[in-house]
Amino acid sequence: MKERRTRLDAVRNIGIMAHIDAGKTTTTERILFYTGKKYKLGSVDDGTATMDWMDQEKERGITITSAATTCFWRDHRINIIDTPGHVDFTVEVERSLRVLDGAIAVFDAQAGVEPQSETVWRQADKYRVPRIAFINKMDKIGADFDAAVQSMVDRLFANPIPVQIPIGAESEFDGIVDLVKMKAIKWYDPEGTEYGYEEIPAELIEKAEESREDLITHVAEFDEEIMELYLNGEEVPEDRLKAAIRAGTLANEIVPVLCGSAFKNRGVQPLLDAIVDYLPAPIDLPPVIGIDPDTQAEVKVEPEEKAPFVAMAFKIMVDPHVGKVTFVRVYSGSLNKGSYVFNCNKGIKERVSRLLFMHANQREEVDYIRAGDIVAIVGLKNTMTGETLVADGAGKVLLEQIEFPEPVISIAVEAASKNDLPKLSKALQALTEEDPSLKTFVDPETNETILSGMGELHLEVVVERIKREFNANLRVGHPQVSYRETIKEEAKAEGKYIRQSGGKGQYGHVILKVEPCKEQLVFEDRTAGGVIPKEFIPAIEAGAKEAAMSGVLAGYPMVNLKISLLDGSYHEVDSSEMAFKIASSMAFREACRKASPVLLEPIMLVELTSPEEYLGDLIADLNSRRARIEGFENKSGLRIVKAHVPLSELFGYATVVRSLSQGRATHVIQFSHYAEVPEKIAEKILGS
């Protein structure tokens, strides 16, 4: 089989990331077409895109869930993950970037860097993922290659280095100039399959020579031979230039920039060449560092097929045909179908029944997997996102887990009938396993099932999936804001729990101090001299932290506070973990009541793009929503407004924006931070 013969140095694990509507999925579709993986051009607009395989993705024209596929180019195997662009599904980007070796950042040639572009770029920075940039939609009205590149400097603080420049723009876009080969590339047919190299048009020679010189000066620091040739005024060979660009890219010092129009079938083959030439193979990157859970010693996981098997589960999917599917990235070793793996996070053994290479929602069964593969495993019933798998009987290792954002918006859901109750329960369990940014719990006061997510669209999509995929009818309440509570001052309190009931009693006594801090929730034991035995300290910490899950004002989770255990006492016979846990909870709640508790609300960053004539009405509307305007920008004849707005004021905002601008304004909303609720509004919330 072709897949099994690919050398590890000829594997590329890449993601395609961008702002919504920049052309990620269209670019992926063209890659699949030109690599021969599919024989017909797919279209997002027509609902025929391979990677947008969910019904809702086809209907909405957006990517909701990351999809994986594999293709071949120049005898290299390219594993691709197409990620969503909408901020509500940013968790899909986060977990994909955690396991990928490289990425293509796609930018709209007219808009340049957009809000979600910044978010995904920061996520890639966090995992130090080498990137190349593709300035897409060069045929669009207002396309400006130089401005798009400059926006990467201004907004991303990146070091973009063009390795191509466009020939023309907008309706005049007619090909690209390859600055490495110093040749023009032209396409000769509408489907973009026939293309060739020509001489650079005379009017672009001067600009091409300037751009090439700029390219050489930037990459010379990664190759002494190029530096010497450049200083001596000699010609730089193509292979040396490519090697230096690759070295700079792998070091995350430069970002090679390409251009084209994926929709018009221009520029995709050179992009595939750049993936092979500049993005890393698994062996090009430093070993992944893990921790031995038994000794806490550092473990280096080398990307070698003969090393012990180590993989990370990064995505769970419920497939209607094969059941629960676990997507994994294999970092080292190999694994055969039918063998066992050990989950180091849970300490359990699981059997691998099937191994699949995924092409969106199509499956190809294989007998074994190895280092560098991104595959799906069927049969892992208990493994969750972010957990580490090793070969059964081999050494244990824990890889760094993936961090997921906390949900900011909630709705109440209930089954429409008794028959729908088990379906709803099954759906919620499956979907929360799939999506770690989705949480569900039962409100102890109202007994309602609460579903929490990252935004209105996120919850809307989840509700639709429950109805369609699980055939469950349900009633949905209005969206509710996920408030938090914190304290403004420090305070101490004593908690004593004493019970006598004839036999052995219960005795727990603690003195706690609470104070504001920047971290989420911190516990510190400041007792001395064994006033409380060490075995009871974990129970005291657990009691305080459990109490913090339900605040003293309105029962919302408490954040940004430090809990210090100062003193206490114990009884040799009657003290127990339960007694200290209860005493700790009592002391915590009493201390928080004294510490000026306040309500916090999620504040969203709104970026509004509008023609000038609608700006007054839109700003007046923002001001009515308690917005804090942060600034204005001009871009391509449009005005961009940035503002921080409480989430509680933004329900139904999309409809208002469309109405006030006759559908011409666009906006992006993403979570920014939590802030204190103004006193009068807090009174209303607490009184309702």
Side-chain angles (χ1 to χ4, degrees):
M1 190 184 292
K2 186 177 185 181
E3 282 82 350
R4 313 319 313 157
R5 293 199 298 269
T6 308
R7 306 182 319 275
L8 198 53
D9 63 352
V11 172
R12 300 289 183 271
N13 290 317
I14 65 161
I16 300 188
M17 61 185 201
H19 184 86
I20 191 168
D21 207 30
K24 297 176 307 304
T25 302
T26 302
T27 302
T28 311
E29 292 297 312
R30 298 308 182 261
I31 286 173
L32 296 179
F33 178 72
Y34 296 125
T35 55
K37 186 72 182 181
K38 56 181 294 190
Y39 303 100
K40 183 182 176 186
L41 288 169
S43 167
V44 174
D45 294 336
D46 296 342
T48 57
T50 306
M51 305 302 276
D52 285 352
W53 55 270
M54 287 173 63
D55 288 341
Q56 288 198 68
E57 292 179 314
K58 292 175 181 177
E59 290 168 11
R60 296 171 187 266
I62 61 170
T63 303
I64 290 170
T65 182
S66 52
T69 190
T70 298
C71 59
F72 290 85
W73 185 257
R74 284 171 38 193
D75 293 325
H76 283 65
R77 176 192 183 125
I78 303 173
N79 296 319
I80 302 173
I81 295 183
D82 175 30
T83 63
H86 197 286
V87 68
D88 281 19
F89 309 106
T90 191
V91 66
E92 291 284 343
V93 185
E94 181 83 23
R95 60 179 167 193
S96 299
L97 287 172
R98 171 65 180 80
V99 298
L100 292 170
D101 301 327
I104 303 169
V106 180
F107 300 98
D108 183 311
Q110 181 263 327
V113 174
E114 297 174 90
Q116 187 62 5
S117 313
E118 294 185 62
T119 303
V120 297
W121 195 269
R122 285 195 300 270
Q123 288 171 312
D125 281 341
K126 181 164 79 173
Y127 297 117
R128 291 195 55 75
V129 177
R131 279 145 275 178
I132 57 179
F134 181 59
I135 308 296
N136 191 26
K137 302 191 178 185
M138 279 305 306
D139 59 315
K140 186 178 178 181
I141 294 172
D144 188 330
F145 177 77
D146 293 333
V149 173
Q150 186 58 42
S151 72
M152 292 177 65
V153 177
D154 297 340
R155 299 188 68 169
L156 303 176
F157 308 105
N159 186 18
I161 309 298
V163 294
Q164 297 173 354
I165 57 173
I167 301 173
E170 301 181 344
S171 60
E172 303 297 315
F173 176 60
D174 191 37
I176 58 180
V177 173
D178 185 330
L179 299 175
V180 177
K181 294 181 184 292
M182 280 306 276
K183 291 282 186 182
I185 309 177
K186 293 286 188 79
W187 280 263
Y188 306 129
D189 67 318
E191 285 199 335
T193 51
E194 295 177 27
Y195 66 102
Y197 289 87
E198 301 179 359
E199 293 305 313
I200 299 170
E203 68 273 14
L204 272 176
I205 287 177
E206 188 179 339
K207 181 174 173 57
E209 287 175 345
E210 286 176 8
S211 299
R212 180 180 166 87
E213 186 168 338
D214 187 50
L215 169 62
I216 291 171
T217 56
H218 275 91
V219 301
E221 59 186 281
F222 304 104
D223 194 305
E224 288 181 13
E225 187 181 329
I226 288 183
M227 178 72 80
E228 201 173 309
L229 290 169
Y230 175 68
L231 293 174
N232 293 332
E234 296 177 43
E235 186 60 33
V236 177
E238 183 184 326
D239 61 335
R240 296 301 316 164
L241 187 52
K242 280 185 178 177
I245 295 169
R246 179 179 178 81
T249 306
L250 298 194
N252 265 304
E253 295 291 337
I254 64 169
V255 180
V257 182
L258 300 90
C259 61
S261 170
F263 185 68
K264 291 292 177 67
N265 312 315
R266 303 286 185 266
V268 179
Q269 294 95 333
L271 177 62
L272 281 160
D273 287 334
I275 292 169
V276 168
D277 292 336
Y278 306 137
L279 289 180
I283 58 173
D284 293 324
L285 298 172
V288 175
I289 303 298
I291 298 291
D292 184 319
D294 295 332
T295 66
Q296 298 303 302
E298 201 173 82
V299 180
K300 283 187 178 179
V301 180
E302 302 281 356
E304 296 174 3
E305 191 171 345
K306 293 182 180 177
F309 176 79
V310 179
M312 170 173 272
F314 69 94
K315 179 178 167 69
I316 307 294
M317 187 177 85
V318 179
D319 188 297
H321 303 289
V322 297
K324 182 178 172 181
V325 175
T326 307
F327 284 79
V328 303
R329 161 68 197 266
V330 185
Y331 285 102
S332 74
S334 60
L335 184 74
N336 293 314
K337 181 174 73 173
S339 54
Y340 286 86
V341 291
F342 183 79
N343 182 320
C344 291
N345 297 78
K346 290 198 169 86
I348 55 173
K349 186 167 78 169
E350 298 205 73
R351 186 175 182 274
V352 174
S353 58
R354 294 168 69 188
L355 298 169
L356 308 170
F357 278 116
M358 300 296 287
H359 176 52
N361 62 335
Q362 303 297 311
R363 297 165 295 278
E364 175 196 347
E365 194 151 345
V366 291
D367 293 330
Y368 82 102
I369 55 177
R370 61 172 190 176
D373 282 342
I374 290 179
V375 294
I377 297 179
V378 180
L380 307 182
K381 292 183 173 60
N382 299 302
T383 297
M384 304 296 286
T385 300
E387 295 181 343
T388 306
L389 303 172
V390 299
D392 184 38
K396 297 177 188 174
V397 60
L398 277 177
L399 302 179
E400 184 185 356
Q401 285 200 272
I402 308 170
E403 291 181 11
F404 297 109
E406 284 295 311
V408 297
I409 185 170
S410 304
I411 53 174
V413 293
E414 65 175 10
S417 68
K418 208 171 184 180
N419 291 337
D420 291 305
L421 197 57
K423 295 178 188 174
L424 176 60
S425 178
K426 182 183 176 184
L428 291 175
Q429 182 181 348
L431 293 173
T432 50
E433 276 187 17
E434 274 191 27
D435 185 351
S437 68
L438 193 68
K439 301 283 173 69
T440 180
F441 64 94
V442 175
D443 187 316
E445 291 184 10
T446 63
N447 213 29
E448 291 178 316
T449 300
I450 306 297
L451 188 63
S452 302
M454 299 306 298
E456 284 185 274
L457 179 62
H458 186 202
L459 294 180
E460 194 181 308
V461 166
V462 168
V463 167
E464 197 63 33
R465 286 189 67 189
I466 292 171
K467 290 176 181 175
R468 291 187 186 190
E469 295 174 29
F470 297 89
N471 200 26
N473 294 313
L474 70 161
R475 288 188 285 267
V476 179
H478 293 297
Q480 302 291 321
V481 176
S482 294
Y483 291 101
R484 297 285 185 268
E485 295 180 25
T486 192
I487 55 174
K488 295 174 76 174
E489 299 171 6
E490 65 175 57
K492 295 179 189 175
E494 183 177 28
K496 242 181 193 179
Y497 182 72
I498 304 171
R499 289 287 182 276
Q500 290 295 333
S501 54
K504 185 179 178 225
Q506 294 286 344
Y507 184 93
H509 171 221
V510 298
I511 297 172
L512 297 182
K513 182 176 86 168
V514 295
E515 58 192 303
C517 83
K518 290 185 178 179
E519 295 178 62
Q520 189 86 347
L521 205 59
V522 181
F523 179 86
E524 183 183 8
D525 175 18
R526 288 168 56 183
T527 57
V531 293
I532 298 173
K534 291 294 179 191
E535 63 262 29
F536 295 131
I537 303 299
I540 294 169
E541 180 178 354
K545 287 188 172 178
E546 280 180 24
M549 295 303 293
S550 177
V552 295
L553 283 176
Y556 294 109
M558 300 197 74
V559 294
N560 298 348
L561 56 85
K562 180 180 179 181
I563 309 157
S564 301
L565 174 61
L566 302 180
D567 203 354
S569 61
Y570 74 102
H571 188 282
E572 286 190 0
V573 177
D574 292 348
S575 283
S576 66
E577 287 188 1
M578 180 60 71
F580 272 107
K581 195 173 181 182
I582 294 170
S584 174
S585 173
M586 291 163 62
F588 174 81
R589 298 187 73 80
E590 181 63 29
C592 286
R593 287 190 190 98
K594 297 177 183 176
S596 300
V598 291
L599 202 61
L600 301 177
E601 63 182 343
I603 304 296
M604 313 302 282
L605 176 62
V606 176
E607 185 156 319
L608 184 67
T609 304
S610 169
E612 179 79 41
E613 59 261 40
Y614 306 110
L615 203 61
D617 289 343
L618 289 166
I619 289 175
D621 176 70
L622 277 174
N623 287 332
S624 73
R625 296 173 185 271
R626 296 195 281 131
R628 192 176 80 240
I629 307 293
E630 301 292 342
F632 297 86
E633 285 179 34
N634 288 315
K635 186 191 279 186
S636 306
L638 296 171
R639 297 299 301 277
I640 298 172
V641 184
K642 288 186 178 180
H644 281 107
V645 189
L647 175 62
S648 59
E649 304 286 350
L650 287 172
F651 295 130
Y653 184 59
T655 307
V656 174
V657 170
R658 281 195 294 267
S659 172
L660 291 177
S661 67
Q662 297 179 19
R664 293 179 62 193
T666 59
H667 71 287
V668 175
I669 301 173
Q670 53 188 326
F671 173 72
S672 174
H673 62 279
Y674 273 92
E676 186 179 338
V677 179
E679 194 174 335
K680 287 188 178 178
I681 293 168
E683 286 172 7
K684 282 185 188 175
I685 295 167
L686 297 174
S688 60

